Amino acid sequence: RWLRAKTSQQYALDNAALAAGRVSQTSGGSSAEVIAAATTYYNQMKSRDLATEDANFDLVDSGKAVLAPSSATGATACLGVTF
């Protein structure tokens, strides 16, 4: 279960960063629009199996890259897992 949640979380983060890049390149969106696109996309795709999660998006390298640090915890039958 935790592996599925971790994989889904990574997939959501990766795709949110790609969505942000698409907004930045195709529409010349402002920083706020790019971050909003990433956040919206992430919220739609994030794993529902997580006990807690936190993801933040930021533009780096003069707006050419998206940084997306994240932390999450998932509950299992035996123990809690942090990734």
Side-chain angles (χ1 to χ4, degrees):
R1 186 176 191 186
W2 70 267
L3 181 59
R4 181 181 66 204
K6 181 179 183 288
T7 302
S8 295
Q9 184 77 349
Q10 185 62 54
Y11 184 73
L13 287 166
D14 290 347
N15 282 287
L18 290 171
R22 184 176 59 241
V23 168
S24 177
Q25 291 178 349
T26 60
S27 67
S30 68
S31 296
E33 291 173 327
V34 171
I35 298 301
T39 302
T40 299
Y41 206 90
Y42 170 76
N43 285 333
Q44 292 173 355
M45 294 189 65
K46 68 184 176 183
S47 175
R48 304 295 182 231
D49 294 328
L50 298 173
T52 63
E53 58 80 26
D54 180 37
N56 298 299
F57 298 92
D58 193 19
L59 293 177
V60 295
D61 195 21
S62 300
K64 295 179 184 175
V66 177
L67 179 66
S70 172
S71 65
T73 59
T76 65
C78 300
L79 56 115
V81 178
T82 302
F83 50 89

